[in-house]
Amino acid sequence: MTTALLVMEERRRADVYPDEVLRELADLVRWQRPPLTREQLAAEPGVLNEVELLLTGWGAPVLDAGLLRHAPRLRAVLVAAGSVRPLTTPEFWARRIPIVSAASANAIPVAEFTLAQILLALKQFHRISREIKERGHYPDAVRVAGAYGSRVGLLGLGEIGRLVASHLRRFDLDVVATDPVADPAVAAGLGVRLVPLAELFDSCEVVSLHAPLVEQTEGLVDGELLARLRTGATLVNTARGAVVDEPSVVDVLRRRPDLTAVLDVTWPEPPPPGSPLYGLPNVVLTPHLAGAMGAERARMGELVLEEVRRLLAGAPLRHAVDPAMASLRA
């Protein structure tokens, strides 16, 4: 029977790998040890000598030369989390070991959260509710874009961006996107028109960020871009905090109380004490809620379970990360 080891942080392990998933895995593999943390593995790396499948999630060990030296029989790594960039190294890729990411399972709650925020933003929910509290009365007249014929922009058409686009197809909206590596045919199939970045910010009632954090996107969304948004528009960020150039964006938000920024991610995360983000009334902060939380995390463990089944049956893996595309993933 194939030998496996589960290594991840204890805090979220029971959510990601609930008892029913562990029971089914136990029917497929022989556990080398009970689950370990990254720190416990670092103290006893020899435990990897017989391991063929490494299962992990949040708190995964870094797959560097030192660790790999102790894992001569390693056949696959299966990560019940989104990004594999923090744990992969050139030495790992050189071994040509397949690595599975559960990004598609984590994409589901992120896209659901994003859809909810977009629909609320089209009614200018956050702006109107804060103005009522500030003024102590209802507005004399309410003008909102609404979810009919309004334009919504997506910055990034990766896995989450495409899922958001597919959700938005159920509504009578004009959806546009900016993504330099997106396939125009894929975008068209989602009912999305590709536009330049400036047009995205010039023309949309809501702009939702789904770009990975790479060199080209760090600080991409700055104050100059944000200032292009039309009156009452909303920026939603569920991607990576550092995609936003916070100081220049804060300056614009101070000058433009009509705008709203819904920030589920920041940089640093959380914002440090005294950050202006805490005090700006037109900033909505949530602590990385969009990603899988609580019971939602079990989807990722279930994805890993299904991939273990496919691997042991000799079937192609459905969620293996393409090494050539790994640097473009969030």
Side-chain angles (χ1 to χ4, degrees):
M1 186 175 266
T2 300
T3 303
L5 181 68
L6 172 57
V7 180
M8 69 171 290
E9 65 177 38
E10 287 187 57
R11 182 166 61 95
R12 290 179 275 198
R13 192 167 62 210
D15 286 344
V16 176
Y17 292 96
D19 288 343
E20 57 270 26
V21 169
L22 291 178
R23 281 194 295 268
E24 292 190 55
L25 282 167
D27 291 335
L28 300 171
V29 301
R30 180 181 68 82
W31 292 116
Q32 175 73 352
R33 288 280 187 88
L36 301 177
T37 64
R38 176 172 55 198
E39 294 74 20
Q40 289 169 330
L41 179 63
E44 195 180 354
V47 73
L48 288 168
N49 288 343
E50 302 299 319
V51 170
E52 297 167 83
L53 303 183
L54 177 62
L55 279 60
T56 186
W58 282 287
V62 177
L63 303 168
D64 57 17
L67 181 143
L68 294 169
R69 204 163 37 243
H70 293 281
R73 300 184 61 189
L74 190 61
R75 292 172 50 196
V77 178
L78 300 102
V79 185
S83 177
V84 301
R85 278 204 292 163
L87 61 148
T88 51
T89 63
E91 294 84 4
F92 172 77
W93 294 116
R95 283 273 298 267
R96 298 184 181 274
I97 297 169
I99 184 167
V100 164
S101 164
S104 63
N106 191 52
I108 294 170
V110 178
E112 292 169 346
F113 179 95
T114 301
L115 173 64
Q117 294 301 329
I118 289 171
L119 294 176
L120 287 172
L122 289 170
K123 289 287 191 178
Q124 296 195 22
F125 167 85
H126 294 297
R127 179 183 66 81
I128 291 171
S129 63
R130 71 175 174 262
E131 288 179 357
I132 289 172
K133 286 189 174 183
E134 288 168 359
R135 298 171 184 176
H137 62 80
Y138 280 21
D140 296 330
V142 176
R143 291 184 176 274
V144 300
Y148 181 77
S150 296
R151 180 170 291 180
V152 174
L154 306 177
L155 178 53
L157 274 183
E159 193 150 30
I160 295 172
R162 292 194 302 271
L163 189 52
V164 172
S166 68
H167 286 329
L168 291 172
R169 294 197 74 175
R170 293 178 284 161
F171 302 90
D172 294 314
L173 295 168
D174 178 20
V175 182
V176 296
T178 298
D179 189 327
V181 299
D183 183 337
V186 171
L190 291 166
V192 175
R193 181 168 57 88
L194 295 174
V195 300
L197 183 60
E199 183 179 341
L200 192 82
F201 279 79
D202 282 340
S203 64
C204 292
E205 303 291 345
V206 186
V207 173
S208 186
L209 308 186
H210 302 287
L213 180 58
V214 295
E215 184 179 352
Q216 296 85 347
T217 63
E218 185 172 353
L220 176 64
V221 178
D222 58 12
E224 183 179 347
L225 267 180
L226 193 73
R228 302 180 77 117
L229 287 175
R230 53 181 54 194
T231 301
T234 299
L235 177 76
V236 179
N237 189 10
T238 59
R240 290 290 186 266
V243 171
V244 173
D245 178 54
E246 184 184 303
S248 63
V249 162
V250 163
D251 287 344
V252 173
L253 291 170
R254 283 178 172 140
R255 298 196 311 267
R256 294 277 308 273
D258 62 288
L259 299 179
T260 300
V262 178
L263 305 179
D264 189 52
V265 290
T266 61
W267 184 254
E269 190 174 293
S275 167
L277 295 178
Y278 290 121
L280 282 169
N282 53 344
V283 172
V284 179
L285 292 174
T286 52
H288 220 127
L289 288 180
M293 302 289 288
E296 294 171 334
R297 293 171 179 156
R299 281 196 185 105
M300 294 185 283
E302 290 164 2
L303 182 148
V304 165
L305 170 62
E306 290 306 313
E307 290 287 76
V308 169
R309 284 197 179 109
R310 295 182 65 80
L311 183 69
L312 297 181
L317 294 169
R318 289 179 175 156
H319 300 280
V321 176
D322 180 352
M325 298 298 291
S327 63
L328 298 178
R329 296 174 71 109

